[in-house]
Amino acid sequence: MDPSGHPVSPLEQALHAARALVLADLVAGEVAEADVVSLVEDSVVQRRWWVEQWPDGVEFVAGLVAQDVQDALLERYGRWPLCPVCEAGDPHALDIEPELGPDPHWVCHKAGVKVAAVGSLGPATGGAASS
């Protein structure tokens, strides 16, 4: 229920969850500045419209918001999130997999590993990198 006592729609639940997951990853990467948070909000607005057009896509929202924010950050600041797995070579960003599907994860294609679920980068980047 929302504060007015109305039930929250599945769309709004998915959008709130996507926002929370992506914000958690931004906080973990210490890049959750106000202008970056506004990128999340912009994506949520765009994805609300997208899911209204294609309701079956509601379970894909978290991965899409993460990709939107990643793309916007690349244009303004650079690659995010950087891979915590590969210690040698050039720094590179993680990718979202599946690109359009449920249960999105951050993956390193260079090492061929899943690093963390979207929203769970904190433990993956805060601990020691596995070898």
Side-chain angles (χ1 to χ4, degrees):
M1 300 258 174
D2 69 13
S4 65
H6 295 94
V8 178
S9 72
L11 168 58
E12 289 304 314
Q13 288 176 353
L15 291 169
H16 288 300
R19 177 188 292 117
L21 291 170
V22 174
L23 286 174
D25 285 346
L26 289 166
V27 168
E30 299 179 359
V31 291
E33 305 297 328
D35 58 335
V36 176
V37 172
S38 71
L39 299 175
V40 177
E41 298 304 325
D42 292 346
S43 174
V44 168
V45 168
Q46 293 168 11
R47 293 305 174 179
R48 177 178 285 116
W49 177 87
W50 183 84
V51 175
E52 287 169 349
Q53 308 310 304
W54 189 48
D56 289 345
V58 71
E59 65 183 331
F60 309 152
V61 169
L64 291 169
V65 170
Q67 288 177 64
D68 292 345
V69 172
Q70 185 180 41
D71 291 346
L73 282 170
L74 180 61
E75 290 176 16
R76 296 181 189 196
Y77 302 105
R79 292 173 290 213
W80 174 86
L82 291 178
C83 179
V85 176
C86 298
E87 295 177 6
D90 292 331
H92 54 277
L94 298 173
D95 296 310
I96 292 285
E97 214 171 77
E99 286 187 21
L100 187 61
D103 192 28
H105 279 72
W106 294 108
V107 299
C108 173
H109 285 291
K110 199 171 188 178
V113 296
K114 279 186 182 182
V115 176
V118 168
S120 300
L121 270 181
T125 57
S130 58
S131 53

